[in-house]
Coordinates of all heavy atoms in Angstrom, one line a residue:
R179 N -71.6 2.4 16.6 CA -71.0 3.5 17.3 C -70.3 4.5 16.3 O -70.3 5.7 16.6 CB -69.8 2.9 18.2 CG -70.4 2.2 19.5 CD -69.4 1.4 20.2 NE -68.4 2.3 20.9 CZ -67.5 2.0 21.8 NH1 -67.6 0.8 22.4 NH2 -66.7 2.9 22.4
W180 N -69.8 3.9 15.2 CA -69.1 4.8 14.2 C -70.1 5.8 13.7 O -69.9 7.0 13.5 CB -68.5 3.9 13.2 CG -67.6 4.6 12.3 CD1 -67.3 6.0 12.2 CD2 -66.6 4.0 11.3 NE1 -66.2 6.2 11.2 CE2 -65.9 4.9 10.7 CE3 -66.5 2.6 10.9 CZ2 -65.0 4.7 9.6 CZ3 -65.6 2.3 10.0 CH2 -64.9 3.3 9.3
A181 N -71.3 5.2 13.3 CA -72.3 6.0 12.7 C -72.8 7.1 13.7 O -73.0 8.4 13.3 CB -73.5 5.2 12.4
R182 N -73.0 6.8 14.9 CA -73.5 7.8 16.0 C -72.4 8.8 16.3 O -72.7 10.1 16.4 CB -73.9 7.2 17.2 CG -75.0 6.1 17.0 CD -75.7 5.8 18.3 NE -76.9 4.8 18.1 CZ -77.9 5.1 17.5 NH1 -78.2 6.2 17.0 NH2 -78.9 4.0 17.3
F183 N -71.1 8.5 16.2 CA -70.1 9.5 16.4 C -70.1 10.4 15.2 O -69.8 11.6 15.4 CB -68.7 8.7 16.4 CG -67.5 9.6 16.4 CD1 -67.2 10.4 17.6 CD2 -66.8 9.8 15.4 CE1 -66.1 11.3 17.6 CE2 -65.6 10.7 15.3 CZ -65.3 11.3 16.5
L184 N -70.2 9.9 14.0 CA -70.3 10.8 12.8 C -71.4 11.7 12.9 O -71.3 13.0 12.5 CB -70.2 10.0 11.5 CG -69.0 9.2 11.2 CD1 -69.2 8.2 10.0 CD2 -67.9 10.2 10.9
C185 N -72.6 11.2 13.4 CA -73.8 12.1 13.6 C -73.4 13.3 14.6 O -73.9 14.4 14.4 CB -75.0 11.3 14.0 SG -75.7 10.2 12.8
Q186 N -72.7 13.0 15.6 CA -72.4 13.9 16.6 C -71.5 15.0 15.9 O -71.5 16.2 16.3 CB -71.6 13.3 17.7 CG -72.5 12.4 18.6 CD -71.7 11.7 19.7 OE1 -70.4 11.9 19.8 NE2 -72.3 11.0 20.4
Q187 N -70.7 14.6 15.0 CA -69.9 15.6 14.2 C -70.6 16.3 13.0 O -70.0 17.0 12.3 CB -68.6 14.8 13.7 CG -67.9 14.0 14.6 CD -67.3 14.9 15.8 OE1 -66.6 15.9 15.5 NE2 -67.6 14.4 17.0
R188 N -71.8 15.9 13.0 CA -72.8 16.5 11.9 C -72.2 16.0 10.5 O -72.4 16.7 9.5 CB -72.7 18.0 11.9 CG -73.0 18.7 13.3 CD -74.5 18.4 13.6 NE -75.4 19.1 12.7 CZ -76.7 19.0 12.8 NH1 -77.4 18.2 13.8 NH2 -77.5 19.6 11.9
E189 N -71.6 14.9 10.4 CA -71.2 14.2 9.2 C -72.2 13.2 8.8 O -71.9 12.0 8.7 CB -69.8 13.7 9.2 CG -68.7 14.7 9.7 CD -67.4 14.2 9.6 OE1 -67.0 13.4 8.7 OE2 -66.6 14.4 10.6
F190 N -73.4 13.6 8.5 CA -74.5 12.7 8.2 C -74.3 11.9 6.9 O -74.6 10.7 6.8 CB -75.9 13.5 8.1 CG -76.2 14.1 9.3 CD1 -76.0 15.5 9.5 CD2 -76.5 13.4 10.5 CE1 -76.4 16.2 10.6 CE2 -77.0 14.1 11.7 CZ -76.8 15.4 11.7
E191 N -73.6 12.5 5.9 CA -73.4 11.8 4.7 C -72.4 10.7 4.9 O -72.6 9.7 4.1 CB -72.8 12.8 3.7 CG -72.7 12.2 2.2 CD -72.3 13.3 1.2 OE1 -72.3 14.5 1.6 OE2 -72.1 12.9 0.0
R192 N -71.6 10.7 5.8 CA -70.7 9.6 6.1 C -71.3 8.6 7.1 O -70.9 7.4 7.1 CB -69.4 10.1 6.6 CG -68.5 11.0 5.6 CD -67.2 11.4 6.4 NE -66.4 10.2 6.8 CZ -65.5 10.3 7.8 NH1 -65.4 11.4 8.5 NH2 -64.9 9.2 8.1
A193 N -72.3 9.1 7.8 CA -72.9 8.2 8.8 C -73.9 7.2 8.3 O -73.9 6.0 8.8 CB -73.6 9.1 9.9
W194 N -74.6 7.6 7.3 CA -75.8 6.7 7.0 C -75.2 5.3 6.4 O -75.9 4.3 6.7 CB -76.7 7.3 6.0 CG -76.3 7.7 4.6 CD1 -75.9 8.9 4.2 CD2 -76.1 6.8 3.5 NE1 -75.5 8.9 2.9 CE2 -75.7 7.6 2.5 CE3 -76.3 5.5 3.3 CZ2 -75.4 7.1 1.2 CZ3 -76.0 5.0 2.1 CH2 -75.6 5.8 1.0
P195 N -74.2 5.2 5.7 CA -73.8 3.9 5.3 C -73.4 2.9 6.4 O -73.7 1.8 6.3 CB -72.5 4.1 4.4 CG -72.6 5.6 3.9 CD -73.3 6.2 5.1
H196 N -72.9 3.5 7.6 CA -72.5 2.7 8.6 C -73.7 2.2 9.4 O -73.9 1.1 9.9 CB -71.6 3.4 9.7 CG -70.2 3.8 9.0 ND1 -69.4 2.7 8.8 CD2 -69.8 5.0 8.6 CE1 -68.3 3.3 8.2 NE2 -68.5 4.7 8.1
F197 N -74.9 3.1 9.4 CA -76.2 2.7 10.0 C -76.7 1.5 9.1 O -77.2 0.5 9.7 CB -77.2 3.7 10.0 CG -77.0 4.7 11.2 CD1 -76.9 6.1 11.0 CD2 -76.9 4.2 12.5 CE1 -76.8 6.9 12.2 CE2 -76.9 4.9 13.7 CZ -76.8 6.3 13.4
I198 N -76.6 1.5 7.8 CA -77.0 0.5 7.0 C -76.2 -0.9 7.3 O -76.9 -2.0 7.4 CB -76.9 0.9 5.5 CG1 -78.0 1.9 5.1 CG2 -77.1 -0.4 4.6 CD1 -77.9 2.4 3.7
E199 N -75.0 -0.8 7.5 CA -74.2 -1.9 7.7 C -74.6 -2.5 9.1 O -74.5 -3.7 9.2 CB -72.7 -1.5 7.9 CG -72.0 -1.2 6.4 CD -72.0 -2.4 5.6 OE1 -71.9 -3.6 6.0 OE2 -72.2 -2.2 4.3
A200 N -75.0 -1.6 10.0 CA -75.4 -2.2 11.3 C -76.9 -2.6 11.3 O -77.4 -3.1 12.3 CB -75.3 -1.0 12.3
G201 N -77.6 -2.5 10.2 CA -79.0 -2.8 10.1 C -80.0 -1.7 10.8 O -81.2 -2.1 11.0
Q202 N -79.5 -0.6 11.0 CA -80.1 0.4 11.6 C -80.8 1.4 10.5 O -80.4 2.6 10.3 CB -79.3 1.4 12.6 CG -78.6 0.6 13.6 CD -79.6 0.0 14.7 OE1 -80.6 0.5 15.0 NE2 -79.2 -1.1 15.3
Y203 N -81.9 0.9 9.8 CA -82.3 1.5 8.6 C -83.0 2.8 9.0 O -83.0 3.7 8.1 CB -83.2 0.5 7.9 CG -82.5 -0.7 7.3 CD1 -82.7 -1.9 8.0 CD2 -81.5 -0.6 6.5 CE1 -82.2 -3.1 7.6 CE2 -80.7 -1.8 6.2 CZ -81.1 -3.0 6.7 OH -80.5 -4.1 6.3
V204 N -83.8 2.9 10.0 CA -84.4 4.1 10.3 C -83.4 5.2 10.5 O -83.7 6.4 10.0 CB -85.4 4.0 11.5 CG1 -86.0 5.3 12.0 CG2 -86.5 2.9 11.3
D205 N -82.4 5.0 11.3 CA -81.4 6.0 11.5 C -80.7 6.4 10.2 O -80.3 7.5 10.0 CB -80.3 5.4 12.5 CG -80.9 5.3 13.9 OD1 -81.6 6.2 14.3 OD2 -80.6 4.3 14.6
A206 N -80.5 5.4 9.3 CA -79.9 5.7 8.0 C -80.8 6.6 7.2 O -80.3 7.5 6.6 CB -79.7 4.3 7.3
I207 N -82.0 6.5 7.3 CA -82.9 7.3 6.4 C -82.9 8.7 7.1 O -82.8 9.7 6.3 CB -84.3 6.6 6.6 CG1 -84.5 5.3 5.8 CG2 -85.4 7.7 6.1 CD1 -85.8 4.7 6.0
E208 N -82.9 8.8 8.4 CA -82.9 10.1 9.0 C -81.6 10.9 8.7 O -81.6 12.0 8.4 CB -83.0 9.9 10.5 CG -84.4 9.5 11.0 CD -84.4 9.2 12.4 OE1 -83.4 9.4 13.1 OE2 -85.6 9.1 13.0
C209 N -80.5 10.1 8.7 CA -79.2 10.7 8.2 C -79.3 11.2 6.7 O -78.8 12.4 6.4 CB -78.1 9.7 8.4 SG -77.4 9.6 10.0
A210 N -79.8 10.4 5.8 CA -80.0 10.7 4.5 C -80.7 12.0 4.3 O -80.4 12.9 3.5 CB -80.5 9.6 3.7
I211 N -81.8 12.1 5.1 CA -82.6 13.3 5.0 C -81.9 14.5 5.5 O -82.0 15.6 5.0 CB -83.9 13.0 5.8 CG1 -84.8 12.0 5.1 CG2 -84.7 14.4 6.0 CD1 -86.0 11.5 5.9
E212 N -81.2 14.3 6.7 CA -80.4 15.5 7.3 C -79.4 16.0 6.3 O -79.2 17.2 6.3 CB -79.7 15.0 8.6 CG -80.5 14.8 9.8 CD -80.9 16.0 10.5 OE1 -80.3 17.2 10.0 OE2 -81.6 16.0 11.3
C213 N -78.8 15.2 5.5 CA -77.8 15.8 4.5 C -78.5 16.0 3.1 O -77.7 16.1 2.1 CB -76.5 14.8 4.4 SG -76.9 13.1 3.9
Q214 N -79.8 16.0 3.2 CA -80.6 16.3 2.0 C -80.4 15.3 0.8 O -80.4 15.7 -0.4 CB -80.3 17.7 1.5 CG -80.7 18.8 2.6 CD -80.5 20.2 2.1 OE1 -79.9 20.5 1.1 NE2 -81.0 21.1 2.9
Q215 N -80.0 14.1 1.1 CA -80.0 13.0 0.1 C -81.2 12.3 0.1 O -81.3 11.1 0.4 CB -78.8 12.1 0.4 CG -77.4 12.8 0.3 CD -76.3 11.8 0.1 OE1 -76.4 10.6 0.0 NE2 -75.1 12.3 0.1
F216 N -82.3 13.1 -0.5 CA -83.6 12.5 -0.4 C -83.8 11.3 -1.3 O -84.5 10.3 -1.0 CB -84.6 13.6 -0.7 CG -84.5 14.8 0.1 CD1 -84.1 16.0 -0.5 CD2 -84.8 14.8 1.4 CE1 -83.9 17.2 0.3 CE2 -84.8 16.0 2.2 CZ -84.4 17.1 1.6

Side-chain angles (χ1 to χ4, degrees):
R179 289 177 64 166
W180 195 350
R182 298 202 184 287
F183 174 73
L184 290 170
C185 285
Q186 291 173 2
Q187 307 301 309
R188 308 291 296 175
E189 296 185 48
F190 299 108
E191 188 170 354
R192 293 180 58 203
W194 65 258
H196 295 291
F197 276 130
I198 289 178
E199 289 294 330
Q202 306 289 334
Y203 299 113
V204 174
D205 290 320
I207 292 168
E208 290 177 352
C209 278
I211 292 171
E212 281 284 354
C213 60
Q214 299 184 346
Q215 292 196 9
F216 304 113

